[in-house]
Amino acid sequence: MLTKTNLISTIVAAIWSMMGGFLLWGVLAENFMSDHIGTATGVLKENPDFGILAVGCLIQGLAFSTIFRSWGAEKYNTMDGLKYGFWVGILAGLGNNIIDYATSNMLDMTGALINGLIYIVFFCVMGFLVGLIYNKVK
């Protein structure tokens, strides 16, 4: 299950998950997203628990990498990773954000759609990195 390639890919994906999430949501989109928060209050923590966040990123990286490996191709490349990341972004980002908009007051519709697009970018980069690792590491 956990091959050398999968292990390296998991670590790279987990690092991107932690650092890329901070870059995309914590730096680039922070001001925009704060303008599109719904009526829910007290939802986000003032300071995240970074230990638990790191564990979550590692689990996300492992799942992403392992499912990618099981996708069925004999030889993977970065384009395969981008496509995979795009569909995961559609599923986990755009689909989930629209469902959240319909069922909660966390974001307005503009925020939900933009957040979904950020998820697509996030997972496309993760897919690119995982595809690169699977292509280069034997």
Side-chain angles (χ1 to χ4, degrees):
M1 176 178 148
L2 198 59
T3 64
K4 174 181 149 185
T5 306
N6 188 285
L7 180 62
I8 294 169
S9 175
T10 294
I11 292 167
V12 168
I15 291 169
W16 165 253
S17 183
M18 187 89 153
M19 303 310 290
F22 174 72
L23 173 69
L24 293 174
W25 284 281
V27 175
L28 298 176
E30 182 178 26
N31 291 335
F32 177 83
M33 294 306 290
S34 66
D35 292 340
H36 294 281
I37 293 176
T39 58
T41 59
V43 176
L44 297 177
K45 292 182 176 182
E46 184 73 26
N47 294 309
D49 183 331
F50 287 103
I52 300 296
L53 181 61
V55 169
C57 290
L58 189 60
I59 291 169
Q60 184 178 55
L62 175 63
F64 190 93
S65 180
T66 302
I67 294 169
F68 177 74
R69 181 187 67 191
S70 303
W71 203 13
E74 299 256 337
K75 182 168 169 47
Y76 298 98
N77 60 42
T78 54
M79 187 52 78
D80 293 325
L82 277 171
K83 289 178 198 173
Y84 174 68
F86 175 79
W87 286 110
V88 170
I90 294 287
L91 171 73
L94 195 57
N96 237 15
N97 272 284
I98 292 172
I99 291 169
D100 284 348
Y101 172 76
T103 60
S104 73
N105 293 316
M106 291 175 50
L107 293 171
D108 64 16
M109 181 54 105
T110 302
L113 291 174
I114 297 300
N115 197 33
L117 293 175
I118 295 169
Y119 268 101
I120 292 170
V121 170
F122 174 79
F123 282 115
C124 280
V125 172
M126 187 179 286
F128 176 87
L129 293 170
V130 167
L132 182 68
I133 300 295
Y134 271 88
N135 186 35
K136 299 292 181 193
V137 177
K138 306 291 183 240

